Structures are given as C-alpha cells and as structure tokens.
Amino acid sequence: MEDYKNFLEEILISKEDLQTRIAELGAEISKDYLGKELLLVCILRGGVFFTVDLMKKIDIPHVVEFMAISSYGAGARESTGDVRVTLDLQINIRDKHVLLVEDIIDSGLTLASVIERLSAQHPASLEVCTLLDKAARREVDVPLKYRGFNIEDKFVFGYGLDIDEFFRGLPFIGVVDLDKYEPAD
Ligand code: IMP
Ligand code: MG
C-alpha cells in the first residue's frame, strides 16, 4: 500500500476536533444514561477507535461488547444490504440498555440489519451513536440518538475507517482523492 499522502485530498476533521466532539458526546451519554446500566456495542472494525475514546469520556459505569459485520458481495466501498455477522455478541442483551457505536453511517443498510437483529432479543433500550453521518447517502432510515459530525458524500479514511483495510490508525479523518487512489486489486 502506498503512502496515504499520495491521495489525501484534505484533512476533514482534525485530531483535536475529533477529541473535543467525543468529549461532548461522552458527557451527553453520561447524563442520559445516569442510573442505568449502559452496554456499549462496538461495531468492528471501524468503530473501535471511537468506542475506546468515547469510553474514556463516559463517567458512569458501563460495559463494552463487540460485534463484527461484513457486507456480503459488496464492492470495496458500498454496502449491499446483504449483511453478515462475522462475530456475534457473546452475551444476551435482554433488558439491557444497549448503545451501538459505529464509525460511519452511509446507506444505513448495515445498521438497519443490526438493529433488526438485536431488537429481537428485547433489550430495555437500543440506540445508536455514530461518529460520522453521510446523511445524503441514506437508503433506509436509522434512528440516530448521537452523531459526531455530519459529512458530505466523500470517501473518508482514518480514525477507524479504512481504505482497503489500511490507514485505520490515523488520528484524523481524511478525504480520499479518488482520482489519485489506485485500488490494490
Ligand atoms: P452502510 O451500510 O452503507 O451505512 O455502510 C456503513 C459501513 O460502510 C461503515 O461501517 C463503513 O465500514 C463503511 N463505509 C461507509 N462509508 C465509508 C467511508 O467513507 N470510508 C470508509 N468506510 C466507509
Ligand atoms: Mg464499519
């Protein structure tokens, strides 16, 4: 994989702006779930950086579980809605206050399928916290309780989000210049 600087169009959200917003979300969540037992469900792999930083800003007792989803038959950059659970929750969420933590919502197909699946287990509540929202791309409605940033319809990477699995570890959100990026395959 080549250096990301070859196709970085711009830094859309800086490290500092990410952390400031995550602190605000953490405070809001701490207030809203006060007195309740909060269960964060991190959607792997993209949601992992956001989940970890968010947990540091949530000052009420909470636990975290992980779920991994892949969109079957998808091109590298689009959801098909044919969503497969590749790592399922290891606990029963009945009567739990569940907050799903996602990196980005694009078509909404991935999350809609996760919500449908988890609802069947009768949690006490089920809400969504996404770092990024590409609202213009939405195909199915998903109820969002917490949203870090609204972004335009651009392909972004860093801070959990990948380009062909690379660059998740960058501390900022960057925009890919698709004229300059050559997919590996
Ligand atoms: P959705 O099912 O279309 O909402 O797609 C959501 C998933 O697609 C996210 O969890 C990401 O893994 C991936 N995704 C969507 N947009 C981007 C992007 O701009 N960069 C990297 N991954 C993305
Ligand atoms: Mg994802």
Side-chain angles (χ1 to χ4, degrees), residues 43-47 69 102-104 110 161 168:
I43 310 293
L44 295 172
R45 294 179 286 262
I69 314 292
E102 250 288 36
D103 51 356
I104 187 166
T110 306
L161 294 138
R168 295 187 193 272

Side-chain angles (χ1 to χ4, degrees), residues 79 102-110 134 154-156 161-162:
S79 251
E102 250 288 36
D103 51 356
I104 187 166
I105 303 181
D106 189 55
S107 68
L109 293 167
T110 306
K134 267 190 211 176
K154 289 182 173 174
F155 200 77
V156 293
L161 294 138
D162 69 300

Side-chain angles (χ1 to χ4, degrees), residues 1-2 7 77 163-164 176-184:
M1 175 55 76
E2 58 182 316
F7 48 75
R77 286 175 211 101
I163 308 176
D164 298 335
V176 185
D177 182 341
L178 289 171
D179 294 331
K180 294 193 182 142
Y181 176 67
E182 297 281 340

Side-chain angles (χ1 to χ4, degrees), residues 36-107:
K36 292 179 180 152
E37 264 184 40
L38 174 61
L39 166 61
L40 299 177
V41 173
C42 169
I43 310 293
L44 295 172
R45 294 179 286 262
V48 75
F49 290 81
F50 179 37
T51 301
V52 168
D53 284 340
L54 188 63
M55 286 174 73
K56 296 179 208 165
K57 301 295 178 187
I58 296 177
D59 58 13
I60 57 165
H62 60 282
V63 296
V64 65
E65 291 285 333
F66 298 90
M67 229 178 137
I69 314 292
S70 80
S71 221
Y72 213 19
R77 286 175 211 101
E78 295 214 336
S79 251
T80 53
D82 192 359
V83 173
R84 241 181 346 152
V85 174
T86 54
L87 173 71
D88 211 343
L89 286 178
Q90 305 296 304
I91 55 152
N92 195 313
I93 59 165
R94 180 179 270 280
D95 301 331
K96 307 260 191 227
H97 290 281
V98 177
L99 181 58
L100 289 169
V101 185
E102 250 288 36
D103 51 356
I104 187 166
I105 303 181
D106 189 55
S107 68

